[in-house]
Amino acid sequence: MDEIEKREKNHSAGFESLDILIQRWRDGTFQEIVDDWKWIFTYSVRYRKAIVFYIVLGMLSTVMGLFGSVVSKMMIDIVTSKQTDKLWVLIAVVLGSAVFNLTFGSMINRISTKLSIYINNDIQADIFDKIMDADWLSINQYPNGDILNRFNGDVGTVSSNAISWLPSIIIAIFNFIATFCVIWHYDKVMALIAFASAPFMLLMSRFLIKRQREYNKKVREMSSKLMTFEVETFYNMDTIKSFGVSSYYGEKMRGWQQKFKAISLKYNLFSIKTNIVMSVIGMAVQYLAFGYCLYRLWTNEITYGTMTLFLQQRGNLSSAFSSLVSIIPAFLNSSVSAHRIRELVQLSREVHIPASNELDRFAADGFEVKMRDVHFSYVKGKKVITDSAFQACPGEIVALVGPSGEGKTTMIRLILGLIRPEEGSAVIKASNGQEIEMNADTRHLFAYVPQGNTILSGTIAENMRMVKADATDEQIIEALKISCAWEFVQKMPETIYSKIGERGRGFSEGQAQRIAIARAVLRDSPVLLLDEATSALDVTTERMVLRNIIQQRPNKTCIVTTHRPSVLNLCQRVYRVMETKVTELSEEESSRMAIDF
């Protein structure tokens, strides 16, 4: 992309953004932008000394640039008039100025990059903590891809402008005024021509804004759709391969590429036409200034050096004006990104009950998990759990059974305190009778093995130490033995330090489940939740694992969701989740259900 095209795009974006700002002012929503920038400045203010230093360097760089231009003008005049006795002084000054500008430019670039990284890390760290502590229902309104886009893309936009925006305005204004004053000092008419060229280009580009905005929007939308398809395809690669539909997805990929190509080429053609128009206008203004300089030179009113200075600074003045205009879309884009980040920051927080830590001293006795008259719905008016009770005591294995989609996983979420009952209570009860509502601070008393493959890339030991960072190799091996995973891990070349692929690649589903169970065993929490966690194990291994877990800590409370009759035979209590009701089954009903399975 050449300089004229860049300038045209900056002009268009600047005027478009200015129109948006004016509209926001009229409709009363400008305050939102102010609030967004107030939030950004809470991070910027941490680096105020560096910002001031950045501004000073930028202004000094402008002064030295203008000084170098004036010296160059004098050098040309000396050469053309053959005053060689002064030439060496000017050469030294020009070289010194160039070195000075190069040094200052490098310092500004370094400072800007460091500040951008620092503020990006600050914001990301804060946002990460807030996302992790967000209410489960609130955060799940956002797709994972959207959260990642905000966490990376929007934070990057904010961090790149949070430090540089104010200095850029001050430096650009200073540069514009200083450059104009230098030209005005030598020739007022030339200063007016140079001043008029930038606004003239800007006014002309305004007629092209609407079409450019439409094309730009279409390209971004198509790009997002293509990226969504790519992410979903790669994430579900195993499923696609299993169904043998790789060629079908290959055709879909090419279809999306074709759509993206079509809209991109249309936008490109429009940009080429726009560039031609703006280039013609730019050349007209340039030739006007050049013609004026030639006329003044012809009449001996200026020197060759002055002519060079005029033409050079005319371009600088136009660039300075463009820089000022381009700050507006950066200002607006940062506001939009900040608003998107603030939406995540302002999500409801998880409930924390500090008194939960008082239960720790009763961990050895085990805990009772209890629900009374619980009602819950994800969507208002559509109950998932209705008027239900549940109880699991220390030393027991308690099962939750029922058809898929009836609410078993919802019960697990209620027990973990990820969601809270609309009516009734879900509590954890200590041996002294103290009860605490399930919340984020009771979760450390639980070890959880969810459905699906939850193994992360890395070594087996790294996966295990995820729940207990200071675990010794001996403790890890003992947990693997309890889950019956050591029998295959010990045969691996590096045992617990053997590498695991992404999502447990290299292990069977049953092996991955046993490692996940071992991880929960290593945590050794008083309450263990197994959500279909033994579905891939054979009956003998399954029974052995569950017996080992209970023997590890006799007072452990074990809650399982399952369809396996072998598990039901080991349970002291069985609850059926069906048609929004959680009902305890009698011993006879449990036996009959085990037979029916």
Side-chain angles (χ1 to χ4, degrees), residues 16-233:
E16 179 183 1
S17 301
L18 186 58
D19 287 343
I20 293 172
L21 290 175
I22 293 172
Q23 181 60 38
R24 286 290 193 95
W25 183 272
R26 290 173 178 169
D27 62 20
T29 58
F30 185 79
Q31 184 60 40
E32 292 180 5
I33 297 177
V34 174
D35 292 339
D36 292 332
W37 268 94
K38 282 181 180 178
W39 179 81
I40 293 173
F41 280 134
T42 61
Y43 290 95
S44 304
V45 73
R46 303 177 187 179
Y47 304 98
R48 53 186 176 274
K49 291 182 180 178
I51 292 174
V52 172
F53 185 57
Y54 182 93
I55 292 171
V56 172
L57 285 180
M59 295 174 72
L60 281 174
S61 181
T62 296
V63 170
M64 292 306 300
L66 290 172
F67 177 72
S69 297
V70 173
V71 171
S72 296
K73 174 256 182 194
M74 295 172 66
M75 182 182 291
I76 293 172
D77 289 341
I78 288 172
V79 171
T80 54
S81 61
K82 298 182 179 181
Q83 300 177 23
T84 53
D85 56 320
K86 301 178 181 178
L87 187 58
W88 68 272
V89 177
L90 292 176
I91 291 175
V93 172
V94 168
L95 290 176
S97 176
V99 171
F100 184 85
N101 281 328
L102 183 62
T103 303
F104 266 56
S106 299
M107 290 177 63
I108 291 173
N109 181 273
R110 179 69 175 173
I111 292 170
S112 177
T113 301
K114 287 178 69 174
L115 291 178
S116 181
I117 292 173
Y118 291 159
I119 199 167
N120 184 81
N121 290 347
D122 281 354
I123 297 175
Q124 275 198 332
D126 288 351
I127 301 308
F128 182 84
D129 291 340
K130 289 181 171 70
I131 289 175
M132 296 303 292
D133 192 45
D135 174 71
W136 188 88
L137 287 174
S138 299
I139 196 65
N140 275 275
Q141 297 174 9
Y142 298 86
N144 289 336
D146 184 41
I147 293 174
L148 283 173
N149 191 20
R150 294 172 190 238
F151 185 71
N152 290 305
D154 288 316
V155 168
T157 298
V158 169
S159 63
S160 64
N161 290 305
I163 295 297
S164 63
W165 189 78
L166 183 60
S168 295
I169 289 180
I170 295 173
I171 293 170
I173 291 174
F174 179 80
N175 187 19
F176 183 82
I177 294 173
T179 303
F180 181 80
C181 289
V182 168
I183 302 175
W184 182 271
H185 172 74
Y186 286 99
D187 192 298
K188 296 180 177 55
V189 175
M190 186 62 201
L192 293 175
I193 293 174
F195 178 79
S197 62
F200 182 72
M201 292 279 287
L202 190 59
L203 288 171
M204 289 301 299
S205 68
R206 185 172 186 179
F207 294 104
L208 306 168
I209 289 173
K210 186 177 180 181
R211 290 288 302 280
Q212 186 178 26
R213 182 181 182 184
E214 290 172 356
Y215 277 119
N216 193 32
K217 183 180 178 182
K218 289 178 181 178
V219 169
R220 288 190 180 188
E221 288 175 351
M222 191 58 64
S223 178
S224 295
K225 291 177 181 177
L226 179 59
M227 184 175 293
T228 299
F229 170 79
E230 291 167 350
V231 170
E232 289 181 347
T233 299

Side-chain angles (χ1 to χ4, degrees), residues 100 105 132 138 197 226 265 287 318 327 380 412 428 445 548:
F100 184 85
M132 296 303 292
S138 299
S197 62
L226 179 59
L265 290 177
Y287 288 146
S318 181
I327 290 169
K380 189 174 182 180
I412 294 293
I428 186 167
L445 301 172
N548 289 345

Side-chain angles (χ1 to χ4, degrees), residues 506-531:
F507 289 103
S508 68
E509 187 176 350
Q511 289 173 330
Q513 276 194 343
R514 278 183 273 180
I515 291 175
I517 294 170
R519 186 168 56 195
V521 169
L522 180 66
R523 185 174 172 89
D524 195 23
S525 297
V527 185
L528 175 64
L529 302 178
L530 301 174
D531 192 0

